[in-house]
Amino acid sequence: MHIAIHPDFQKYKAELTSFIDSFDDAGILFVEGKRNKIKLFQCDDKVLSIKSFKVPNSINKIAYKFFRKSKARRSFEYANRLLELGIGTPQPIAFVEKCTVLGLGRSFYACEHLDVDLTFRELVEIPNYPDYDTILSQFVAFCFQLHENGVEFLDHSPGNTLIKKVAEGKYAFFLVDLNRMNFLSEMSFEKRIKNLSHLTPRKDMIAQMSLEYSKLYTSHSEAIIFQTLWSCTEKFQKKFHQKIRLKKKLKFWK
């Protein structure tokens, strides 16, 4: 078992090892997805969130052991990189890889658990959410900060930004599910727009987001940003729903 721990949390090595060894039988289940599982563990005065990644297929077992970084390791490294750039994400603590002669087996990513108020998904699903306009405006500014720092967050979906109210009219944003990310020297207009196009199918939100983004990204007009973003959003939504329909057809017997 290979374990890498953030320098500030080396004193928790014994506890972290214990949590990983007992992951299936201990901890509080927080998220149970089709591929991954997240559990919470108490460690002194902190609550740790530990994500267990699905064991990769036989080809990826070899790839992740010898040629590519595991999802757990990427999550840990990308989280540290985001914090260096001043971009919010839960404090990374450690990653663990369990390998055999056949390749990578189970892997885990541990970070501090954040007690937040909502995710971006709530804004999409609840148009009259309290302080909606303020949160959306500040979220767009957060996205602009990502883009200005060359961060291409490939899983920029509604559930992957946590939002916490830190003062009256002031919100902090934290990225999660970090293993698919590029760090670029500069992000083109096309990449910026594509990065925003997976967040909401609502045209009214796209219009409001375009307005807010145009205040910060002045090289393109609000109209151009809206037209481009709405076109990308429609294409993404069409492809997304086609994929869902295809999965249902392929799994009709279930």
Side-chain angles (χ1 to χ4, degrees):
M1 183 175 79
H2 171 66
I3 180 169
I5 304 175
H6 189 283
D8 294 344
F9 297 90
Q10 288 290 335
K11 63 181 180 180
Y12 296 127
K13 183 175 181 179
E15 289 88 343
L16 285 165
T17 302
S18 175
F19 295 155
I20 297 301
D21 288 341
S22 62
F23 184 87
D24 291 334
D25 303 311
I28 299 172
L29 183 64
F30 184 63
V31 175
E32 181 155 25
K34 293 180 180 179
R35 294 176 295 176
N36 309 314
K37 181 183 293 186
I38 300 175
K39 282 190 170 184
L40 305 181
F41 293 83
Q42 188 72 42
C43 188
D44 286 346
D45 61 340
K46 299 181 184 298
V47 177
L48 308 188
S49 173
I50 300 181
K51 183 174 185 176
S52 170
F53 291 91
K54 180 182 177 181
V55 176
N57 61 41
S58 56
I59 295 176
N60 283 335
K61 280 184 179 182
I62 298 171
Y64 284 134
K65 183 175 181 179
F66 298 105
F67 306 109
R68 296 180 61 198
K69 294 180 179 180
S70 69
K71 292 181 179 180
R73 180 172 179 173
R74 278 181 276 151
S75 297
F76 179 77
E77 293 182 352
Y78 293 167
N80 281 294
R81 184 77 178 274
L82 290 175
L83 292 180
E84 290 172 1
L85 293 171
I87 295 167
T89 192
Q91 173 64 51
I93 294 175
F95 75 89
V96 175
E97 297 170 334
K98 291 187 174 185
C99 293
T100 69
V101 292
L102 299 177
L104 178 69
R106 299 185 70 177
S107 59
F108 304 83
Y109 170 59
C111 64
E112 281 195 47
H113 178 68
L114 289 180
D115 184 17
V116 299
D117 298 292
L118 69 154
T119 69
F120 187 75
R121 189 181 304 280
E122 276 71 41
L123 289 190
V124 176
E125 297 177 349
I126 310 172
N128 60 345
Y129 193 92
D131 222 5
Y132 174 94
D133 291 334
T134 299
I135 300 173
L136 185 57
S137 174
Q138 292 180 19
F139 172 76
V140 172
F142 173 72
C143 293
F144 179 75
Q145 180 194 13
L146 289 180
H147 299 162
E148 287 293 284
N149 280 281
V151 178
E152 185 182 21
F153 184 30
L154 299 175
D155 282 327
H156 202 21
S157 59
N160 286 344
T161 300
L162 311 181
I163 305 174
K164 183 176 179 64
K165 186 174 183 178
V166 293
E168 192 62 36
K170 178 63 178 176
Y171 296 85
F173 303 86
F174 306 88
L175 298 183
V176 294
D177 202 359
L178 306 178
N179 66 85
R180 295 181 65 244
M181 192 172 291
N182 292 322
F183 293 89
L184 310 171
S185 58
E186 185 177 349
M187 278 188 73
S188 66
F189 175 67
E190 291 74 18
K191 281 189 178 293
R192 290 169 184 251
I193 294 302
K194 185 177 180 180
N195 191 239
L196 296 172
S197 66
H198 299 181
L199 288 164
T200 176
R202 286 173 40 197
K203 197 170 186 177
D204 63 311
M205 282 190 88
I206 296 297
Q208 194 168 348
M209 289 169 65
S210 299
L211 171 61
E212 296 298 333
Y213 203 86
S214 70
K215 295 176 183 178
L216 303 167
Y217 192 69
T218 55
S219 60
H220 288 71
S221 68
E222 175 193 348
I224 292 297
I225 293 174
F226 170 74
Q227 291 167 9
T228 311
L229 180 52
W230 180 240
S231 176
C232 286
T233 299
E234 286 188 309
K235 290 176 183 176
F236 170 75
Q237 290 296 324
K238 182 179 180 180
K239 185 176 179 180
F240 175 75
H241 290 292
Q242 285 176 340
K243 187 176 180 180
I244 290 177
R245 288 194 293 270
L246 179 60
K247 282 185 176 181
K248 287 182 178 179
K249 290 180 180 178
L250 295 175
K251 298 180 179 180
F252 66 92
W253 65 89
K254 292 188 177 182

